[in-house]
Structure formats: structure tokens, C-alpha cells
Amino acid sequence: MKLKTLEMTLQRLAGFSRPRPSLEQYQTPAPLAARLLYHALMNGDIEGKRVCDLGSGTGVLAIGAALLGAESVIGIEIDEKALETARANADLLDAAVDFIAADAKDPLLPERAGPCDTVVMNPPFGAQKAHADRPFIDLALQLAPVTYGIFNAGSTQFVKAYTEGRGEIAERVGGSFQIKRTFSFHTKDVQEIEVEILRLKRTP
Ligand code: SAH
């Protein structure tokens, strides 16, 4: 599947029915999701691999990974409503994804969900709850040797310091991207934020 085809396919997926700001629910835009997944595919991190999507939300990243030939895909999400949307989205595209309800902070989760070969994630950035992204980084490093994560632009220093001794930033993928983020409590308020994709490698 070509990058453009993947992007157009992911564009068809439904968004959050009632996005919860406290969970920083916003859908990863199809072009950004496709970019991340395609890059991971080219690195040999998707096809035939066990992929986990942390904070899978509407399922865009998980479903995309399945369409690109992952051996198995697990989507981990705390919110039941989002899981419903994600399951319907997977059905729409006939993608085999196992969406499970779990809190990324649950210490038993690595045993339940892992191990996997590759983590993909667009975690909360910590705009509503400070440091909300940390449990996701911790879990990613436990689950897989390689992670592709979407972070606020300018997070490189933080991620580098936070993962010291556990992992390293192997790559910054494709510069920064603008994404529009709409909060449910201010439906007319669209905020542009700049994000970047980082590829983390776990320290062996
Ligand atoms: N890739 C997703 C992005 C979702 S935004 C998409 O395109 O839809 C971040 C997601 O993380 C939200 O769905 C939110 O509900 C989920 N989340 C927030 N805190 C969580 C936690 N502690 N454990 C699991 N999921 C969580």
C-alpha cells in the first residue's frame, strides 16, 4: 500500500464521539498517522511484527499498522467510549486489532499486553494533567525495543533526559507537523500545535 493510499484510507475513520479533554482525546490526523506508520514500515518495524498502540483512542495508528501487515496489533485505551469507536473503525476497514481496556499506569499491563516488537503512540502531552505522557513512555520502554511516539514539538530534550539509561532517541522523523486540536468544552476553539515524531530505541 502506498503512503497516499494509507492516508486516504485512514481519513475514512470516525473521530471521538464525545472527546474528553481530561484524557486529551484528539484524533491523530490521518497524514501524521500515515507518516509515522510508513516510516516505521520502511524501517522494518511493522510488517510481520507484533505492534502495540498505547492510548489507541479512535484506533487510527493501530488500524493502520494492521493494514500494513503487522502480525498482530493490540490497542490499549482507558476510555470505553473510545474503544467502541475504535472497534467500529477496525470493522469498517476489516482490520484485525485487539483493543483492550486498560490504564497505561497499570503495573500489570506489560504482562497482559506484551511483549511486542514495536510501540506506536500519540499519548496525552500533559497539557491537562502535567506529566501525563510519562507513564506512556515508561510502558513503551517496557513493552518493546522500538517506539514511535508523537510528542509536542520541542520535547526532544525532555524525552532524552527522561529516558536516560533506559533508551535513546534514535531518530526524529520528518520534522514538525501542525495539528489542529479541538476541545469539547470550547467547540469553536481550534488550537494549532506543533508536534514531532520520535523513534526511541530501548537500551539493550
Ligand atoms: N492515536 C489516537 C490518539 C488518542 S489521544 C487517535 O488517533 O485516536 C490519547 C489517548 O490516550 C486518548 O484516547 C485517551 O483516552 C488515552 N488515554 C489517556 N490517558 C490514558 C491512560 N492512563 N491509559 C490509557 N489510555 C489513556
Side-chain angles (χ1 to χ4, degrees):
M1 189 187 282
K2 291 203 175 98
L3 173 63
K4 199 69 201 162
T5 313
L6 177 66
E7 190 181 316
M8 277 161 34
T9 307
L10 296 179
Q11 208 93 56
R12 294 174 50 204
L13 299 179
F16 288 99
S17 51
R18 249 182 288 134
R20 289 169 62 182
S22 63
L23 291 173
E24 296 195 47
Q25 292 184 330
Y26 56 94
Q27 190 172 36
T28 308
L32 177 61
R35 188 75 174 77
L36 181 155
L37 291 165
Y38 217 76
H39 193 89
L41 177 74
M42 292 301 142
N43 278 342
D45 290 327
I46 301 287
E47 207 176 342
K49 304 289 182 184
R50 297 166 299 178
V51 177
C52 286
D53 178 4
L54 311 187
S56 50
T58 60
V60 176
L61 291 171
I63 292 166
L67 297 177
L68 291 177
E71 180 195 285
S72 62
V73 186
I74 296 179
I76 294 164
E77 170 58 50
I78 199 168
D79 181 45
E80 284 293 344
K81 272 260 167 271
L83 284 162
E84 266 174 40
T85 302
R87 290 186 182 119
N89 276 336
D91 285 350
L92 177 78
L93 296 182
D94 217 1
V97 179
D98 190 10
F99 287 105
I100 63 175
D103 185 337
K105 294 193 278 295
D106 178 355
L108 297 177
L109 192 51
E111 223 172 284
R112 193 174 150 208
C116 43
D117 302 304
T118 306
V119 162
V120 294
M121 62 178 188
N122 186 181
F125 291 156
Q128 298 295 320
K129 275 187 205 143
H131 312 313
D133 49 353
R134 294 187 184 189
F136 283 79
I137 298 172
D138 295 341
L139 178 61
L141 288 170
Q142 286 180 66
L143 284 175
V146 178
T147 295
Y148 294 82
I150 298 171
F151 298 94
N152 249 329
S155 296
T156 308
Q157 274 314 108
F158 156 70
V159 175
K160 194 167 171 227
Y162 186 66
T163 55
E164 208 191 324
R166 298 185 290 160
E168 56 168 20
I169 298 176
E171 209 179 344
R172 188 165 173 273
V173 180
S176 35
F177 303 79
Q178 293 272 344
I179 70 171
K180 284 198 177 84
R181 184 166 172 212
T182 315
F183 295 105
S184 58
F185 51 90
H186 271 172
T187 40
K188 287 194 191 113
D189 230 357
V190 175
Q191 197 190 345
E192 295 264 341
I193 50 172
E194 250 193 0
V195 301
E196 61 192 16
I197 304 170
L198 299 178
R199 177 176 187 240
L200 296 175
K201 260 174 75 178
R202 180 165 69 194
T203 305

